[in-house]
Every structure is written in structure tokens, then in C-alpha cells.
Amino acid sequence: MKNPLLEISERRKSGIHSGIPSYCTANELVIEAVLEQGRRFDSPILIEGTANQINQFGGYTGMKPQDFADYVHTIADKVNFDRDRIILGGDHMGPLVWSDLPEDEAMSRARELVRLCVLAGFRKIHIDTSMKLADDPLNERLSDEVIAERAAILLEECERAYQELKDSIRPVYVIGSEVPIPGGSQDEEEGLQVTSPKDFETTLMTYKKKFEEHGISDRWQDVIAVVVQPGVEFGDKDIHVYDRNAASQLTSTLKKYPGFVFEGHSTDYQPPEALREMAADGVAILKGGPALTFALREGLFALSMIERELVPENERADFIETLENVMMSNPKNWLKHYHGSEQEKFIARKYSYSDRCRYYFSLPEIKSSISKLFANIDSVQIPAGMLRQYMPRQYKRVRDGKLDMKASALVKDCVVSVCEDYNYAVREEIFCW
């Protein structure tokens, strides 16, 4: 059976506008929302986990690759979404988490990681070997040859794992040596340079050569995309919006390689029109993650404001205050990312595009607060005017009979609004939401 991601290039060769969003998240409510909106269409849904989220040691989610697969499939069953329509992906799979180790040890762990991903049913693997390891020269750029050599080693491991499976869809691969860091930029002053056509073509030639050297040339057909920098990024306060003119030389060069598309990372917060231009220009795999949990937080904050209006003080969940207290008591996930005065960091913990608060949503205190908030909201009648005040988009959908006046539904609809931007971007026909 053919991997459905191969159809993207086939459709594009026929002149059909085509692409797919990549939802990179491990948040249960977000995944529910993504799958629920996905029921509107017949196409598959791509859900990815990063190497720091899921790995053989559990990552920050506590999940190994098989755990993540089971987790996503359990959510699918809960919302009546067909498991067979889910494509599981591994993002930044390589030695990312172990870059402080020497090459032998870091690559050994990376090989085990990609092996477990394939065995768990991941059918899209972004192989990322772009980071320096402990014994790489400090003052020299990591060469394309080294990056491609390590990638070929990991792809060999993926193929060995695939051979252990029976009657399974073969995984496809995403490569690239110019890979944005996971989760957005940490330095808003750094220059943002679109990948040059020369660098893109050098990447392709170098990887293809390494595949030949490793005797895996026949697997070159399974490489569907190259990660490039098309000129999009976000930081703590700013968003770099796609400029198709600035990216035109790069995207024009892609036309010489009709079997490939680009994968765009950090496409969060882009206007829907920019996302659609990216897809039209060949950035056909649009990866997002923080924008999804940012939207989730927006919804939770809005419900918290409604709770203050309608629920007695001693009965409130006080989600906003709970989140702040938890982040302050355990600052490791935001301390190196948010800078400035105490007031500036206070604001960033809530409203930064980097959305570091997403790392806390799986903690028991936060999950308990969300459950209490939902119960409180569902126990009261929200006046229509109040819903319009705090959740104007959801108000319209409730008014029109398209959305239930239920706490979880209101919050998940905030996430769906992000998904619909991506639906607009990648689909041939434009659907009204």
C-alpha cells in the first residue's frame, strides 16, 4: 500500500493545488480538535511528535514512540476518527536531544530513536542531523557531507526497522541541512535569510551521493521533501510573514525537481493568505504547533474571564493564576527564553508567541484546573452578550447553531480556527467554515 504523502507530489505534477498541514503537538485537547475538524474531509491528518517530546527515554511528555502512537489512536477512538486516516510523523528525529554527547554515543541513541518510530507505525520521518555534536569542531560550520552522512546512517536504520514489519506502508522521509530550531526563534534580532537555490541544490546532490555510497539509492524515491527556510519564523513578540517575492528564486528552483516539495517549519501565526501562497509556491508541508496551543490558551483564558463574572470566588478554578503559579514554581521551560524586566517576563509567560506555557499543560495541577474550569462553565448559563464579549468568533458559531455552548467545545473551537487557516492553505477547493 502506497504512503498517502506521495500523492502530494503526484497531484502537484498534474497542476492540482495540494499540500498538507503537519500538526506537531502532544496536547490532548488540541489533538481532539484537530481530528474533529478533520472529519469534514476524506483526506488524512498528519500528527507529529518531536524528538524532545517523544523518545526512548520518554522525552518531556514521558512518552516513547509507541506510547505516542497509542495515545493519538486512543484520542481518535474517543472522537470517532478513523485511525487509518492518521499519519504519524517524527519531527527533528536524530541526535538533537543528545547533541552534548560525542558522535558515536549520540548517533547510537538517534538510531534507536528512529528504529522505534518506524516500529511504532510512524510513516513520515524528518531526519535532522544538522546540529553539532560534542566532538565536532567548534569553530567550523558542520559540512553538508557530515550532515548527509549521518542522515544516511539513520535512514538505513529506518529501513532495517521497516523490514521487521509485515504488510505495512513504507515510511517517507524529509531531509535538509538548513533546519529551523524547534519551537521558533529565540533571538528576534538574528537575520532571517531565505535558503539560497545553490544551498538547496547542494543539499539534494550531497544527500543523493551519500545514499549511493551507502547502497540505498533505491530509497531516494521515498524522500519527498526538503526542509528549507522560505522566510517565515516567529519569536517572542514578532512574526516574519512569508514574502513570496523574496522566496521566488528558491521556489522557482524547486520546479526543476518535480518529485520534491519543501517542508516549512515555524509556519505558526502566518496569515491564511500567506500560508496558501506558500503551498502554491511549493512549501506543501506546513508545520505548526505553538499556534495550536496558543489558541487553546486563548480559549482557556476567555473562559476564565467568564468564570470570574459568573462563578463565586471561592468556587473558581482560577486557571490563569494557577498557570502562573506553576510556571513560577518550575521555571526551567521558560527561564532561558523570556528576557527583560519582571513585568515583561510576566507578560511573556502568558502571551509570548513562543508559547512556553504549553510545556506545563500536561502537569496534574494544570489538568485539574482545566477540568474544574470546564465543570464551572458547564454549570452556568453564559449570557449571549458575555460570550460575544470574550469569545466573539465562537459566539457567532453558537448563534448560528454550528457549535455547542459547552466549555470544551468552545475551547477546542479556538484551535479549530487555526486548523481552518491551514485547510484554506492546502486544499484545491476553498471550503467555508
Side-chain angles (χ1 to χ4, degrees), residues 43-269:
S43 52
I45 296 292
L46 174 58
I47 297 177
E48 302 206 42
T50 60
N52 58 344
Q53 283 177 321
I54 53 170
N55 57 56
Q56 61 266 46
F57 302 105
Y60 72 75
T61 65
M63 287 187 279
K64 299 177 182 179
Q66 186 63 59
D67 298 328
F68 183 71
D70 294 341
Y71 171 73
V72 172
H73 288 149
T74 299
I75 297 172
D77 293 343
K78 177 182 176 182
V79 301
N80 297 314
F81 189 89
D82 185 356
R83 290 186 179 195
D84 291 338
R85 288 179 53 204
I86 296 173
I87 303 171
L88 292 175
D91 189 31
H92 293 284
M93 291 297 161
L96 170 71
V97 184
W98 307 290
S99 59
D100 59 337
L101 299 176
E103 179 181 14
D104 287 348
E105 190 173 354
M107 285 297 293
S108 175
R109 295 190 182 189
R111 287 197 301 272
E112 176 66 6
L113 172 58
V114 297
R115 187 182 78 86
L116 291 176
C117 285
V118 173
L119 293 178
F122 288 50
R123 292 298 168 257
K124 173 185 174 290
I125 309 292
H126 166 215
I127 297 178
D128 181 6
T129 52
S130 62
M131 67 293 301
K132 287 187 177 182
L133 305 179
D135 47 2
D136 287 326
L138 290 176
N139 299 320
E140 297 179 15
R141 176 186 177 274
L142 202 60
S143 70
D144 288 331
E145 287 75 16
V146 170
I147 294 170
E149 170 70 20
R150 291 171 179 171
I153 291 170
L154 295 185
L155 193 141
E156 283 184 302
E157 191 67 41
C158 290
E159 287 300 307
R160 281 192 287 269
Y162 174 73
Q163 297 306 319
E164 298 180 33
L165 303 174
K166 296 180 180 179
D167 300 323
S168 182
I169 299 173
R170 180 180 288 281
V172 293
Y173 303 101
V174 175
I175 60 172
S177 58
E178 189 164 341
V179 182
I181 63 172
S185 171
Q186 295 182 32
D187 183 359
E188 295 176 33
E189 300 302 321
E190 62 189 11
L192 184 65
Q193 297 293 325
V194 174
T195 300
S196 72
K198 178 181 178 181
D199 286 346
F200 161 57
E201 293 187 290
T202 298
T203 292
L204 279 182
M205 290 186 293
T206 307
Y207 274 75
K208 189 173 183 180
K209 176 184 175 184
K210 289 298 180 181
F211 277 38
E212 292 170 355
E213 292 175 0
H214 282 259
I216 53 174
S217 295
D218 55 340
R219 299 277 58 87
W220 186 245
Q221 63 185 339
D222 299 323
V223 179
I224 62 167
V226 180
V227 176
V228 294
Q229 175 50 271
V232 301
E233 185 57 274
F234 63 90
D236 187 17
K237 303 174 183 176
D238 297 321
I239 301 165
H240 296 275
V241 177
Y242 180 64
D243 180 348
R244 70 187 325 177
N245 291 326
S248 61
Q249 290 187 335
L250 173 64
T251 57
S252 295
T253 304
L254 180 64
K255 296 175 183 177
K256 295 164 54 178
Y257 306 93
F260 293 91
V261 298
F262 289 141
E263 177 168 288
H265 288 217
S266 300
T267 68
D268 305 77
Y269 312 109

Side-chain angles (χ1 to χ4, degrees), residues 316-357:
R316 295 174 193 160
D318 290 326
F319 173 77
I320 297 175
E321 292 77 14
T322 301
L323 179 62
E324 171 68 7
N325 291 337
V326 170
M327 292 182 73
M328 287 298 291
S329 64
N330 183 16
K332 67 177 182 178
N333 290 314
W334 61 266
L335 194 60
K336 295 181 180 179
H337 298 265
Y338 298 153
H339 309 287
S341 67
E342 292 304 313
Q343 176 65 13
E344 288 172 323
K345 287 185 283 188
F346 173 78
I347 296 298
R349 286 191 293 272
K350 292 178 173 63
Y351 305 112
S352 167
Y353 288 132
S354 298
D355 190 50
R356 303 301 297 183
C357 65

Side-chain angles (χ1 to χ4, degrees), residues 371-382:
S371 295
K372 186 174 182 179
L373 175 62
F374 284 179
N376 283 345
I377 293 299
D378 289 339
S379 71
V380 298
Q381 181 66 42
I382 305 174

